[in-house]
């Protein structure tokens, strides 16, 4: 396998995985902790490191990485924008918000901005139907959005104010 991670990244991943060495049921926590330190996406190399450290089979680790939408095998932006694609949100105007995000950032769902700052993703539900249209940017929810409001929010992130 070609090694693409720096030695510091490998050490950080090994350290996180070692915290859960005898707890294979904590695989989700391991992967979430690793994701919090890197936006480079999960590679087979990460699965190998976690597997070697915890004894969890690499195939099981990679199954998690590729099954759960919160994980990605490709690099993502510093800020992950998640938009609900469910019918209730669409009825409440989420398509207009999506269009505004795409226009403002010059990306489509599934893409990352050229500067690596934003990744735009669809998801099934963010649980904010009663306050839609809504988005999640990383762990922060923004609700009752309008086109002007989402553009202002994105501008604040671009300026580093948020």
């Amino acid at each position: 396998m070609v090694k693409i991670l720096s030695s510091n990244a490998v050490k950080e991943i090994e350290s996180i995985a070692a915290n859960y060495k005898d707890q294979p049921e904590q695989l989700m926590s391991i992967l979430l902790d690793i994701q919090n330190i890197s936006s480079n996406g999960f590679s087979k190399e990460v699965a190998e490191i976690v597997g070697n450290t915890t004894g969890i089979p690499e195939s099981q680790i990679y199954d998690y990485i590729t099954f759960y939408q919160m994980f990605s095998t490709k690099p993502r932006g510093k800020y992950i924008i998640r938009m609900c694609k469910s019918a209730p949100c669409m009825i409440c105007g989420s398509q207009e918000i999506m269009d505004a995000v795409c226009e403002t950032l010059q990306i489509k769902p599934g893409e990352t901005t050229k500067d690596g700052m934003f990744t735009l993703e669809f998801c099934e539900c963010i649980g904010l139907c009663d306050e839609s249209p809504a988005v999640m940017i990383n762990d922060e929810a923004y609700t009752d959005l309008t086109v002007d409001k989402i553009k202002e929010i994105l501008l604040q992130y671009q300026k580093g104010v948020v």
Side-chain angles (χ1 to χ4, degrees), residues 2 13 28 34 45 47-48 66 85 93 116-117 121 128 138-139 145 150 152:
V2 175
I13 293 167
M28 182 66 73
I34 292 169
E45 185 179 0
E48 179 184 340
T66 56
K85 63 179 181 178
M117 196 162 178
E121 298 178 346
L128 297 168
N138 291 351
D139 294 327
L145 293 171
I150 192 62
E152 180 59 32

Side-chain angles (χ1 to χ4, degrees), residues 12-161:
E12 283 186 271
I13 293 167
E14 287 172 337
S15 175
I16 288 169
N19 289 332
Y20 300 96
K21 186 172 175 80
D22 297 319
Q23 303 171 43
E25 71 279 3
Q26 294 296 319
L27 180 54
M28 182 66 73
S29 296
I30 295 168
L31 297 176
L32 288 170
D33 288 352
I34 292 169
Q35 184 169 268
N36 285 335
I37 65 163
S38 174
S39 61
N40 290 328
F42 287 97
S43 64
K44 294 221 182 228
E45 185 179 0
V46 172
E48 179 184 340
I49 294 165
V50 173
N52 289 340
T53 305
T54 63
I56 299 170
E58 286 179 48
S59 60
Q60 182 181 350
I61 296 163
Y62 210 70
D63 282 349
Y64 265 67
I65 292 168
T66 56
F67 178 78
Y68 290 103
Q69 191 171 1
M70 68 188 79
F71 302 122
S72 178
T73 57
K74 61 183 184 178
R76 297 159 92 187
K78 178 179 180 181
Y79 301 109
I80 311 299
I81 303 169
R82 290 182 181 87
M83 295 219 45
C84 180
K85 63 179 181 178
S86 70
C89 287
M90 290 295 178
I91 290 169
C92 291
S94 65
Q95 186 61 53
E96 289 178 326
I97 304 306
M98 175 63 77
D99 293 344
V101 171
C102 291
E103 179 186 319
T104 301
L105 299 178
Q106 295 297 296
I107 58 174
K108 297 175 186 168
E111 294 181 345
T112 299
T113 55
K114 290 179 181 166
D115 63 3
M117 196 162 178
F118 297 96
T119 297
L120 178 58
E121 298 178 346
F122 270 129
C123 62
E124 289 305 318
C125 183
I126 57 176
L128 297 168
C129 303
D130 60 328
E131 301 176 84
S132 64
V135 301
M136 294 283 298
I137 301 179
N138 291 351
D139 294 327
E140 188 69 33
Y142 297 92
T143 61
D144 298 315
L145 293 171
T146 63
V147 169
D148 289 339
K149 192 173 177 182
I150 192 62
K151 287 182 177 184
E152 180 59 32
I153 291 166
L154 294 173
L155 182 61
Q156 295 302 310
Y157 275 92
Q158 288 171 324
K159 288 181 177 179
V161 176

